[in-house]
Amino acid sequence: MKDHLSVFTIIFYPFNGENRQTIFDNPYAQYKVNLLSLYFQDKINLGRLRLSPGVRIDYTDLPNKPVLSRQVQSSHMDPNYGNTYTYTPLSQLNNDYLTKPAISPRLGFTWDVTEDRSVVVRGGSGIFVGRIPFAWLGHAYYNDGVGFGSYDYNSPTAAQLAANGDPLVRGNFPKWQNSSKVQVDLIDNNFKMPRVWRSSLAFDYTFAGHKLTLEGIYTKVLYDLKFQQVNKTDNVTYYSYDTNHEMPVYTTNINSNFSNAYLLSNTREGYRYNLTAQISKSYNFGFNFFVAYTYGDAKDITNGVLNSMESNWQMNQSLTPNDPKLTTSNFAIKNRVVANLGYGFDISKSNRLSANVYFNAQSGNPFSWGFVNSTIANTGQAAGLSYIFKDAAEAAKYIVPIKDASGNVLVTAQQQIADYEIFVSGNKYLNTRRVKFMERNGDFTPWNIQADFKIMDEIRLSERSKNNIQISLSIINLTNMLNKNWDKVYFVPNTFNSTANVGLTKVGNVAAGQPSAGDPTYNFKTPGLPYTVDQFASRFQAQLGVRYNF
């Protein structure tokens, strides 16, 4: 049951020694989740104004909660608590969550200003409740340290191996359990399902057959998700170049019984919005069109796209992973243009031919620059943000020669620094971050642009019959058919939560006695492009369809 993205060597096993087949037939993490909802809505007509008030009641029932182990309940307090992050101390956890219903009122309205619907104002506001992937709860049940758990040993000594035997042999598990650390996944007191307050306002204006729409939607987070690793002693240091103390460097764990203690809790930070302008019209001779432009943004502290508390924490690119700052969401699309052109005409009374071109162009996907599968802050993260040196002189303090096992220089520091300067100067975003740290999702891939085409012949079996046959040809990514270099689809692989390698690899630390003693030293190798091309989506595709409607 170990998440494959972990950087720790951990093995899960039942404390009672049950074999694999027994575990498969009788999984330890057995629990039920009951989702109950009740909704009331009314419609009130007040002349030109129509109101739609409503209220929804949601209750998430979790009949049996994960067990809190004695190690959790007796865990001592960090004497440095609150220096860089806060949380509910482990000894104060009581599993008092998902015990109250969520009441979500909302109100929608439509106002026909001119009584002929040529000018309409509409909108609404309300609270909406979501849910979490319940697989996360499964980790809390397995990683309880009571009936099922894990041991964690990185590079065991010869003496430990001699005393405990092979750690992969099931019969030796109890020995390692007594001499190793365990991982626990925990849920904060009063944890609530995700909840937002969403409001919208729109104006519809019809003139000379054209319909113009202006609409805005704003969503404010009331309760979102927060993942922490709460076994890190909050007695931190900072590297000398981190003059604003943005990236704390951790040293030790609070409780030596735990390798990791992951906590799922809530945050009230986060919002998203979009503004849309659209115009459309249908003409009597068969032509129709619409064009829309949307500008938006989305901010959050984590995206919650991975399959465990551990991975959501490890892959959250933050300088302060236990107190992540509000920044661009993985799902933020700044600009989007959508258009459709259509034309249809009757070949005969029972035969109609139509064609449509659909166009979509949108800003690229956000991604982060940093370290892939490594960290320089001793946090255990598998995706971290890096610092950009001011110039070649500052880079010279930290970039060291690349050597082979015998100590022979393969690439000099001077060559690496020159390559680093070319790389940073050649990237618009990186060049703006000099003497600064990278931002989570601070950069974007190129725009994604695509046009699709469809032509359809609709044949009625007779003039009065409702039955018809539709024969269609659809071409997806039409412009790529015209030129193979057009309309590529770009993305950053999600393996490390859309993190691109900045090319720096930590190899040591500045020696004592130097002005920057203790700071990390690096080797640099120019990385490839931060994004890749979706080879399938970037190719044109054609589909021939036949459909019979009756």
Side-chain angles (χ1 to χ4, degrees):
M1 288 297 299
K2 183 65 186 74
D3 190 308
H4 73 284
L5 292 176
S6 175
V7 298
F8 296 99
T9 302
I10 303 177
I11 299 175
F12 294 162
Y13 71 103
F15 292 162
N16 60 9
E18 290 178 339
N19 60 38
R20 182 182 181 88
Q21 188 60 46
T22 302
I23 299 171
F24 183 81
D25 295 336
N26 301 281
Y28 179 73
Q30 295 191 43
Y31 60 97
K32 295 180 179 180
V33 180
N34 300 313
L35 299 176
L36 308 175
S37 299
L38 187 62
Y39 184 60
F40 299 93
Q41 181 175 318
D42 194 10
K43 291 185 178 181
I44 303 173
N45 291 315
L46 301 173
R48 290 177 292 174
L49 179 64
R50 184 176 66 185
L51 301 177
S52 299
V55 62
R56 182 184 177 97
I57 302 173
D58 293 278
Y59 180 63
T60 303
D61 176 41
L62 196 64
N64 58 308
K65 304 287 179 65
V67 178
L68 294 172
S69 70
R70 290 193 302 272
Q71 290 175 317
V72 169
Q73 294 175 320
S74 62
S75 184
H76 57 271
M77 186 81 167
D78 179 11
N80 304 284
Y81 175 86
N83 188 18
T84 65
Y85 71 101
T86 59
Y87 56 97
T88 301
L90 270 59
S91 61
Q92 296 179 20
L93 295 178
N94 56 22
N95 279 348
D96 186 23
Y97 57 88
L98 300 182
T99 58
K100 299 177 182 179
I103 301 175
S104 306
R106 67 274 311 260
L107 174 67
F109 74 92
T110 300
W111 178 29
D112 184 359
V113 179
T114 56
E115 295 191 55
D116 60 359
R117 300 196 65 81
S118 61
V119 179
V120 175
V121 181
R122 54 186 171 83
S125 185
I127 295 174
F128 300 86
V129 176
R131 50 159 288 186
I132 65 171
F134 292 122
W136 295 347
L137 297 182
H139 286 265
Y141 283 87
Y142 271 112
N143 289 335
D144 63 2
V146 179
F148 206 93
S150 63
Y151 63 77
D152 180 346
Y153 247 107
N154 290 305
S155 303
T157 66
Q160 291 167 337
L161 288 170
N164 300 319
D166 186 345
L168 299 180
V169 174
R170 184 166 58 88
N172 295 329
F173 287 176
K175 299 177 183 178
W176 284 95
Q177 177 193 353
N178 294 330
S179 62
S180 179
K181 298 170 288 185
V182 298
Q183 175 177 313
V184 288
D185 286 14
L186 304 164
I187 302 174
D188 193 37
N189 298 339
N190 300 316
F191 171 76
K192 295 176 175 60
M193 287 294 178
R195 193 181 308 174
V196 300
W197 177 23
R198 179 168 295 147
S199 301
S200 67
L201 182 63
F203 299 88
D204 297 324
Y205 176 44
T206 302
F207 62 99
H210 297 78
K211 183 176 181 180
L212 174 66
T213 296
L214 302 175
E215 183 170 8
I217 301 176
Y218 180 79
T219 301
K220 176 67 179 74
V221 164
L222 299 179
Y223 295 102
D224 206 348
L225 308 175
K226 186 175 184 178
F227 302 91
Q228 295 175 291
Q229 210 284 62
V230 295
N231 197 38
K232 285 295 179 184
T233 303
D234 209 2
N235 184 19
V236 300
T237 59
Y238 297 89
Y239 293 129
S240 64
Y241 53 77
D242 185 8
T243 56
N244 294 323
H245 289 183
E246 296 179 79
M247 188 185 74
V249 180
Y250 297 88
T251 54
T252 60
N253 287 343
I254 300 169
N255 191 329
S256 60
N257 292 319
F258 300 135
S259 56
N260 308 294
Y262 294 106
L263 181 67
L264 171 61
S265 61
N266 291 120
T267 178
R268 290 181 176 270
E269 295 188 75
Y271 64 88
R272 53 188 176 272
Y273 66 87
N274 60 67
L275 304 170
T276 299
Q278 175 180 309
I279 187 169
S280 62
K281 183 175 182 178
S282 295
Y283 295 86
N284 294 332
F285 58 86
F287 179 72
N288 65 84
F289 78 91
F290 85 82
V291 179
Y293 169 71
T294 297
Y295 175 80
D297 202 359
K299 303 286 185 179
D300 57 28
I301 68 167
T302 187
N303 52 65
V305 298
L306 297 165
N307 65 349
S308 68
M309 300 183 201
E310 178 180 30
S311 291
N312 278 295
W313 181 83
Q314 287 184 349
M315 299 297 170
N316 193 27
Q317 313 95 326
S318 176
L319 298 173
T320 53
N322 279 336
D323 185 25
K325 307 307 180 187
L326 194 65
T327 187
T328 301
S329 169
N330 284 42
F331 312 106
I333 300 297
K334 299 283 188 179
N335 302 276
R336 187 180 185 188
V337 178
V338 177
N340 186 82
L341 301 177
Y343 181 68
F345 63 95
D346 293 329
I347 299 176
S348 68
K349 292 183 178 181
S350 60
N351 191 348
R352 182 172 180 81
L353 186 67
S354 62
N356 283 275
V357 176
Y358 174 79
F359 174 80
N360 180 80
Q362 63 187 50
S363 302
N365 300 317
F367 68 93
S368 307
W369 285 97
F371 303 106
V372 173
N373 205 20
S374 65
T375 178
I376 61 170
N378 195 33
T379 59
Q381 285 180 286
L385 300 172
S386 62
Y387 171 82
I388 297 297
F389 304 123
K390 177 181 179 181
D391 49 29
E394 186 178 31
K397 298 178 182 179
Y398 302 104
I399 295 179
V400 298
I402 299 176
K403 300 179 180 180
D404 62 17
S406 301
N408 300 310
V409 175
L410 301 178
V411 184
T412 64
Q414 291 77 10
Q415 181 61 56
Q416 295 175 72
I417 294 168
D419 293 341
Y420 178 83
E421 282 298 303
I422 292 172
F423 171 65
V424 172
S425 299
N427 183 284
K428 181 179 179 181
Y429 171 73
L430 297 182
N431 210 31
T432 65
R433 301 304 298 176
R434 288 186 181 271
V435 204
K436 299 177 183 177
F437 287 97
M438 300 292 192
E439 305 162 295
R440 178 169 73 93
N441 293 330
D443 205 355
F444 291 81
T445 65
W447 276 54
N448 289 320
I449 302 173
Q450 182 172 313
D452 302 330
F453 173 76
K454 182 177 182 178
I455 185 169
M456 183 173 67
D457 189 13
E458 184 176 2
I459 306 169
R460 289 206 305 268
L461 299 185
S462 67
E463 292 185 13
R464 297 183 178 180
S465 175
K466 295 182 179 179
N467 298 354
N468 63 69
I469 297 175
Q470 295 177 345
I471 302 174
S472 62
L473 174 65
S474 300
I475 300 177
I476 301 172
N477 206 350
L478 172 66
T479 48
N480 182 256
M481 183 180 70
L482 304 178
N483 187 318
K484 66 179 182 180
N485 296 317
W486 291 353
D487 288 358
K488 302 292 185 181
V489 177
Y490 303 95
F491 73 99
V492 178
N494 194 41
T495 307
F496 291 94
N497 197 11
S498 301
T499 304
N501 188 357
V502 77
L504 294 170
T505 301
K506 183 178 180 294
V507 293
N509 297 88
V510 177
Q514 301 295 321
S516 302
D519 288 356
T521 57
Y522 303 97
N523 289 155
F524 175 77
K525 182 179 179 181
T526 303
L529 287 173
Y531 49 81
T532 188
V533 174
D534 187 327
Q535 296 297 335
F536 183 78
S538 298
R539 299 177 182 179
F540 78 89
Q541 303 169 59
Q543 176 178 289
L544 181 64
V546 178
R547 181 177 180 177
Y548 176 64
N549 298 313
F550 58 91

